[in-house]
């Protein structure tokens, strides 16, 4: 049983433990530009940003469709927040897609547009 907590460090670490186990998540990521992290006494949790009114989770996806993976991450984070008594809205930010981890032929590209060949 998880103990109730409003501490940003406890919240971010609990979410960071649960999210990478979600199917389709390659890993948490600090994002591009300003690092997405929660800082607390003694450390930081990269990829999880805890605010009083919101929680953001930054991920790299390894499975399609992206919307389904994002929803699973949001639900997992909500379960952790509920267990901690720290409910708040969860935003999932997909920072990248690991194409190498996708099964072959999982990315369907539209047919190339071609011009009809005109003979003179």
């Amino acid at each position: 049983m998880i103990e109730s907590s409003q501490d940003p460090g406890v919240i971010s670490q609990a979410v960071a433990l649960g999210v990478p186990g979600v199917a389709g998540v390659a890993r948490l990521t600090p994002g591009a530009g300003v690092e997405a992290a929660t800082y607390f006494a003694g450390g930081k949790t990269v990829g999880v940003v805890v605010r009083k009114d919101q929680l953001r989770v930054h991920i790299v996806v390894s499975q399609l469709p992206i919307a389904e993976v994002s929803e699973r991450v949001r639900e997992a984070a909500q379960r952790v927040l509920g267990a901690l008594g720290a409910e708040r809205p969860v935003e999932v930010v997909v920072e990248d897609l690991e194409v190498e981890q996708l099964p072959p032929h999982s990315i369907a590209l539209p047919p190339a547009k071609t011009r009809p060949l005109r003979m003179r």
Side-chain angles (χ1 to χ4, degrees):
M1 170 98 184
I2 299 175
E3 221 175 285
S4 182
S5 179
Q6 295 295 319
D7 180 83
V10 171
I11 294 169
S12 65
Q13 289 178 327
V15 171
L17 287 173
V19 168
V22 172
V25 175
R27 65 183 173 283
L28 292 170
T29 180
V34 176
E35 183 177 55
T38 298
Y39 299 89
F40 52 90
K44 68 179 176 179
T45 305
V46 174
V48 180
V49 180
V50 178
R51 296 217 164 90
K52 287 183 182 184
D53 63 341
Q54 180 189 49
L55 181 117
R56 274 195 340 259
V57 182
H58 295 253
I59 59 171
V60 175
V61 172
S62 63
Q63 185 179 37
L64 298 176
I66 293 171
E68 289 179 16
V69 175
S70 297
E71 183 58 22
R72 288 193 299 262
V73 169
R74 189 190 67 73
E75 290 170 355
Q78 287 287 2
R79 282 192 299 275
V80 171
L81 291 172
L84 290 170
E87 292 88 354
R88 61 198 74 197
V90 175
E91 178 182 352
V92 178
V93 180
V94 176
E95 295 282 356
D96 203 357
L97 174 65
E98 282 205 357
V99 179
E100 307 84 40
Q101 291 189 15
L102 295 176
H105 310 294
S106 63
I107 300 178
L109 299 176
K113 292 184 180 181
T114 59
R115 292 186 186 171
L117 183 60
R118 293 187 188 175
M119 302 296 284
R120 290 188 190 188

